[in-house]
Amino acid sequence: MSLARPHARFLSRRAMNQIRTYAAPGEGAVPPSKKKYVPTAGTYPLGFKAGSAHVGVKASNTRFDDLALIASDSPCAGAAVFTTNKFQAAPVTVSRDMLKRRSGNGVRAVVVNSGCANAVTGKGGIEDAVRMGEQTDECFIKDSNGEDDGNGSRTVVMSTGVIGQRLPIQKIVDKLPHAYFNLGDTHDHWLSAARAICTTDTFPKLVSRTFTLPSSDTEYRIAGMTKGAGMIHPNMATLLGIICTDAPVEAKPLQAMLSSAITKSFNSISIDGDTSTNDTVAILANGEAGGKPISSTSSDDFKAMQEELTQFAIDLAKLVVRDGEGATKFVTIKVVNAKTYEDAKRVASTIARSPLVKTALYGKDANWGRILCATGYAEGVEAVVPEETSVSFIPTDGSAELKLLVRGEPEQVDETRAAEILAEEDLQILVKLSEKFDKEAVVWTCDFSHEYVTINGDYRT
């Protein structure tokens, strides 16, 4: 099956007496500037398949797939990390309960709809999420013996889209067999599923790679997809993530390595400072590639795979930032010389969500005072030493850093050089908090443009 997408329909928006043009979400082809982030091939884990179908969850979507299904040929170990928002969507509640009831064992599939979040929908929303999972289960043999193991659904359910509206659940249920029929293990199958979970995303986010573990020369595979472009901030964001691997990992260590990986990946990105109701990142491990199962968090295999998963999750999370709603820049904020990792993370996160910093970056304005101000008001951080604080722009082309503030003293900034650095798509902001500590943290963010307001002003339509 190959992806056939119509040409993009571009919308022109007037703002600040300028015409701003962007590819409207769900309107077709990937914008030219984003095509480099969409893989043309991949290596996918054994025993997993992906598929999609068109439901029309959102009335305005008359053409594009908005139901995705990722499934394993055999039952898996499963783990997930969920939003900390107090208004947690029905699929979050249902999926968490399913994994708890099963102790992370015997999971078979992940089903996702886009276009409606099924959040703040009361008891009816819970019933819809349960039905979505159960009807997905009906597409599969319950276990190798064809019998129900008595532990209920085997499906992780995810939804994304508008909050406060009920799912058109019958339409979804009717199309689940189509998604099942469309399952396949090719790159196009995986890319189609990655596209189907998008909302305001402008490109599908899909990563795959191979790796080995210390205990053998066996080649393992890991693949994942994510969605998210707005309402992005820990913990976590309006994002969904599905990761699959054919490595043999038991449920408890799988949960431990995922939770650790999320800290330095999906919980280290910010687009607009909003935390969503639906955030879910799930991982399934079916062990189809063979080898000794990872059953302990103290083994060398566990440590190696945790490092692999963390970097993999970071690469996925970066794609979310690169597709920030209306964003023109990818910004790495690195805070060093902090007393603790937590202090460094709080400062970096505060800078990342500052509207004044983000709009200055969009305007190519080297207004380092806004960076310093955000550093100073970061909550819960007492180790900032004004007389020892330094701020620099680090170009991504390897040229010398542009020092803005050195040990509390402002530099004579070369505005021409600053403008050159800020004109690039990628930028790093380096903040040194002291001269005596050694902890550091990184947060990835983007700028705020006129399009961010336009996109979110139109979101429900």
Side-chain angles (χ1 to χ4, degrees):
M1 182 181 70
S2 61
L3 282 178
R5 300 299 188 193
H7 295 295
R9 177 162 62 91
F10 290 94
L11 302 184
S12 295
R13 304 287 188 181
R14 289 190 177 274
M16 301 291 289
N17 297 320
Q18 299 178 16
I19 293 180
R20 300 287 175 182
T21 304
Y22 65 93
E27 289 296 333
V30 174
S33 63
K34 305 294 186 181
K35 286 183 178 180
K36 59 188 174 184
Y37 302 119
V38 181
T40 57
T43 303
Y44 298 99
L46 300 176
F48 281 99
K49 294 181 175 66
S52 63
H54 174 257
V55 176
V57 172
K58 201 170 183 179
S60 59
N61 176 18
T62 60
R63 295 179 291 170
F64 299 101
D65 287 1
D66 51 0
L67 181 66
L69 180 61
I70 299 90
S72 172
D73 293 339
S74 59
C76 305
V81 176
F82 300 97
T83 180
T84 59
N85 194 300
K86 290 182 174 62
F87 289 95
Q88 298 191 348
V92 169
T93 299
V94 169
S95 295
R96 180 188 286 111
D97 289 348
M98 183 276 291
L99 289 171
K100 182 178 180 181
R101 182 176 62 251
R102 290 193 154 275
S103 299
N105 296 308
V107 182
R108 191 69 185 274
V110 179
V111 64
V112 191
N113 77 270
S114 62
C116 177
N118 190 13
V120 198
T121 46
K123 293 180 180 179
I126 295 291
E127 293 170 358
D128 291 343
V130 169
R131 189 177 177 196
M132 211 169 143
E134 290 178 346
Q135 290 299 310
T136 301
D137 296 334
E138 291 297 318
C139 295
F140 302 94
I141 298 173
K142 292 294 184 180
D143 60 22
S144 59
N145 297 318
E147 297 176 355
D148 189 339
D149 66 359
N151 290 317
S153 178
R154 295 177 181 270
T155 300
V156 176
V157 179
M158 301 183 185
S159 297
T160 182
V162 178
I163 294 170
Q165 297 180 2
R166 288 285 297 275
L167 287 174
I169 189 61
Q170 191 57 51
K171 291 173 65 176
I172 291 174
V173 167
D174 290 344
K175 287 301 180 74
L176 275 169
H178 293 257
Y180 175 75
F181 178 79
N182 290 334
L183 285 173
D185 57 10
T186 70
H187 173 68
D188 283 345
H189 285 98
W190 282 85
L191 192 61
S192 177
R195 182 65 185 86
I197 69 175
C198 292
T199 51
T200 59
D201 308 63
T202 66
F203 68 92
K205 300 163 185 65
L206 178 66
V207 176
S208 66
R209 64 183 52 147
T210 61
F211 64 97
T212 59
L213 296 174
S215 64
S216 74
D217 294 328
T218 301
E219 182 179 74
Y220 296 107
R221 301 159 188 83
I222 186 169
M225 62 186 71
T226 187
K227 63 80 51 185
M231 201 180 278
I232 304 291
H233 190 71
N235 290 298
M236 288 172 288
T238 297
L239 63 84
L240 303 179
I242 304 105
I243 301 171
C244 300
T245 181
D246 53 19
V249 190
E250 294 184 1
K252 285 187 177 180
L254 189 65
Q255 182 66 62
M257 66 175 64
L258 178 65
S259 296
S260 176
I262 292 298
T263 298
K264 293 188 176 181
S265 57
F266 289 104
N267 276 347
S268 291
I269 61 174
S270 181
I271 288 176
D272 48 21
D274 273 318
T275 299
S276 173
T277 55
N278 287 60
D279 313 331
T280 304
V281 176
I283 183 169
L284 303 183
N286 65 8
E288 287 289 322
K292 181 181 178 182
I294 298 175
S295 58
S296 168
T297 58
S298 61
S299 69
D300 289 340
D301 279 358
F302 174 86
K303 295 172 184 175
M305 184 158 179
Q306 181 169 270
E307 291 178 4
E308 180 71 35
L309 179 59
T310 297
Q311 187 56 57
F312 183 85
I314 286 172
D315 291 344
L316 269 179
K318 285 182 177 180
L319 292 177
V320 174
V321 177
R322 290 197 178 278
D323 201 21
E325 290 174 342
T328 68
K329 298 189 188 310
F330 177 86
V331 185
T332 300
I333 300 174
K334 186 174 183 179
V335 176
V336 301
N337 293 23
K339 186 175 182 179
T340 64
Y341 169 80
E342 290 74 20
D343 278 357
K345 182 77 170 287
R346 289 188 187 103
V347 171
S349 182
T350 301
I351 296 170
R353 69 173 181 265
S354 166
L356 291 178
V357 171
K358 295 160 82 69
T359 51
L361 293 172
Y362 173 65
K364 305 178 181 65
D365 180 9
N367 194 340
W368 56 267
R370 294 181 177 182
I371 300 170
L372 196 66
C373 183
T375 300
Y377 68 66
E379 294 184 2
V381 180
E382 298 180 358
V384 176
V385 182
E387 296 80 10
E388 298 178 5
T389 299
S390 299
V391 179
S392 299
F393 287 154
I394 308 296
T396 55
D397 62 3
S399 57
E401 69 180 294
L402 179 64
K403 297 180 179 180
L404 307 171
L405 181 78
V406 177
R407 291 186 291 276
E409 294 292 333
E411 295 286 289
Q412 282 293 113
V413 178
D414 182 341
E415 296 291 347
T416 301
R417 177 60 179 147
E420 291 173 352
I421 294 173
L422 290 170
E424 297 297 320
E425 179 182 353
D426 286 27
L427 165 72
Q428 181 181 132
I429 296 173
L430 176 65
V431 178
K432 298 180 181 178
L433 296 184
S434 74
E435 296 295 326
K436 53 182 173 292
F437 302 122
D438 62 356
K439 301 301 181 183
E440 62 182 56
V442 176
V443 168
W444 296 277
T445 191
C446 58
D447 57 346
F448 264 164
S449 71
H450 303 294
E451 279 78 3
Y452 178 83
V453 177
T454 301
I455 292 168
N456 282 284
D458 290 348
Y459 187 71
R460 292 206 304 164
T461 58

